[in-house]
């Protein structure tokens, strides 16, 4: 079996997959900011979902920059140079991989499309904002450490990181409501405007055929899809076509499926 670990800014989901891609079991817990506590909880949960089965590989997603088995920078967790993979390898004698969560979510969602595009931009809007650039259905090493949620844009008269005003955390802070409780079209129009500003900066760089919106805010994409397209067309240069925009098939579970696909690719390479 393949064990997938989706480490989020607020929660961690650990799942066991059969080699055929069937999700067997999963467990969730709040993500500790303390690295050692995280390792202990992940290790215990892996053993629980494995249920004495043979583990072929473990694939770990983290919300930040990765190099090898080290989480270089995960700002929403306060992690720097955290050797997450190295520590887990001491406990499990199987191949182990660590990758950025948005990259893995993008991998899963791109492969779920009817036809895999040449270039796909995956955007997860959750606690923070992450992006994944998928080229011909695979992760491209040149883009693996992109942190688009932290790119600096002009907003409200000053320079700010994109996720500081457009993420789920920012939405809760601004409107004192979680996305699930927001039904006012005016508020969703404001949220769509904030998301579109980052997209308008990214599209000329990558010219993706398709944009996929995921994460917890992606769950409610039907509440702001039209507004997002209108704002994006307003900000984009007229000679650049606005690509197709889709909601993620698994807005909040894409990362876990991406962990599975990534491990399978690595095992078969």
């Amino acid at each position: 079996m393949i064990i997938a670990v989706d480490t989020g800014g607020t929660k961690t989901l650990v799942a066991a997959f059969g080699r055929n891609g069937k999700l067997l079991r999963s467990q969730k817990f709040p993500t500790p900011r303390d690295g050692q506590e995280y390792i202990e909880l992940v290790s215990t949960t892996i053993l629980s979902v494995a249920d004495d089965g043979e583990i072929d590989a473990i694939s770990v997603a983290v919300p930040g920059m990765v190099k090898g088995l080290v989480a270089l920078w995960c700002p929403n967790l306060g992690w720097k140079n955290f050797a997450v993979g190295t520590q887990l390898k001491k406990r499990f004698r199987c191949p182990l991989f660590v990758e950025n969560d948005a990259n893995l979510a993008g991998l899963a969602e791109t492969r779920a499309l009817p036809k895999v595009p040449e270039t796909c931009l995956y955007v997860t809007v959750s606690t923070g904002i992450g992006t994944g650039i998928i080229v011909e259905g695979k992760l491209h090493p040149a883009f693996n450490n992109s942190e688009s949620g932290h790119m600096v844009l002009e907003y409200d008269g000053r320079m700010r990181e994109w996720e500081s005003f457009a993420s789920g955390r920012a939405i809760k802070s601004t409107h004192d409501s979680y996305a699930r409780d927001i039904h006012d079209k005016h508020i969703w129009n404001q949220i769509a405007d904030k998301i579109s500003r980052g997209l308008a900066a990214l599209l000329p760089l990558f010219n993706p055929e398709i944009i996929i919106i995921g994460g917890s805010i992606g769950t409610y994409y039907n509440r702001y899809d039209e507004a997002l397209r209108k704002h994006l067309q307003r900000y984009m240069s007229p000679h650049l076509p606005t690509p197709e925009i889709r909601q993620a098939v698994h807005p909040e579970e894409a990362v876990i499926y991406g962990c599975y696909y990534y491990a399978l690719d690595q095992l078969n390479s």
Side-chain angles (χ1 to χ4, degrees):
M1 74 179 65
I2 291 175
I3 300 295
V5 181
D6 172 12
T7 310
T10 55
K11 66 182 185 304
T12 294
L13 176 65
V14 181
F17 285 88
R19 286 295 292 264
N20 61 356
K22 181 180 180 181
L23 179 60
L24 303 175
R25 291 168 293 278
S26 66
Q27 290 184 27
K28 186 186 300 183
F29 57 82
T31 306
R33 294 178 66 87
D34 178 77
Q36 196 55 46
E37 183 182 353
Y38 167 84
I39 294 296
E40 294 295 336
L41 269 173
V42 167
S43 299
T44 302
T45 309
I46 287 175
L47 293 174
S48 178
V49 299
D51 194 27
D52 294 327
E54 183 179 354
I55 301 175
D56 297 305
I58 298 172
S59 185
V60 181
V62 298
M65 295 176 64
V66 174
K67 184 175 182 180
L69 298 178
V70 179
L72 296 177
W73 182 57
C74 298
N76 288 319
L77 289 171
W79 293 351
K80 291 183 180 180
N81 298 316
F82 177 33
V84 53
T86 305
Q87 292 198 38
L88 286 173
K89 277 187 73 69
K90 294 177 181 178
R91 300 169 182 240
F92 299 96
R93 295 182 178 181
C94 65
L96 191 145
F97 315 105
V98 181
E99 187 50 80
N100 172 269
D101 57 352
N103 289 340
L104 295 176
L107 180 66
E109 289 296 327
T110 300
R111 293 192 180 179
L113 294 170
K115 180 182 178 182
V116 174
E118 182 177 347
T119 307
C120 179
L121 170 62
Y122 176 82
V123 181
T124 176
V125 187
S126 296
T127 304
I129 294 179
T131 56
I133 310 297
I134 312 301
V135 180
E136 296 181 344
K138 295 184 178 181
L139 298 183
H140 194 293
F143 305 127
N144 280 6
N145 277 330
S146 62
E147 284 289 331
S148 301
H150 297 282
M151 66 181 174
V152 178
L153 306 168
E154 187 279 327
Y155 181 75
D156 200 22
R158 58 194 179 96
M159 304 302 291
R160 298 175 59 179
E161 289 188 354
W162 185 21
E163 73 171 32
S164 75
F165 61 85
S167 65
R169 178 181 289 164
I171 291 170
K172 176 63 168 62
S173 175
T174 301
H175 303 288
D176 196 27
S177 296
Y178 291 105
R180 63 175 178 266
D181 300 318
I182 299 175
H183 300 279
D184 188 318
K185 288 186 177 181
H186 178 68
I187 293 177
W188 278 113
N189 182 63
Q190 293 178 20
I191 294 169
D193 175 43
K194 295 172 181 178
I195 295 173
S196 72
R197 292 179 184 234
L199 294 179
L202 292 173
L203 294 187
L205 295 175
F206 301 111
N207 281 314
E209 294 177 42
I210 295 177
I211 301 171
I212 301 176
I213 307 292
S216 58
I217 307 304
T219 304
Y220 307 100
Y221 181 63
N222 64 327
R223 299 184 187 180
Y224 61 93
D225 56 341
E226 291 184 12
L228 180 64
R229 289 186 177 90
K230 288 179 180 178
H231 285 299
L232 197 53
Q233 289 171 357
R234 180 162 61 94
Y235 290 129
M236 291 289 292
S237 299
H239 67 281
L240 291 173
T242 302
E244 177 186 355
I245 307 176
R246 288 177 174 240
Q247 181 185 32
V249 177
H250 303 286
E252 294 194 82
E253 298 177 326
V255 176
I256 213 74
Y257 284 95
C259 287
Y260 162 77
Y261 282 121
Y262 186 65
L264 200 63
D265 286 351
Q266 296 300 309
L267 291 174
N268 293 332
S269 62

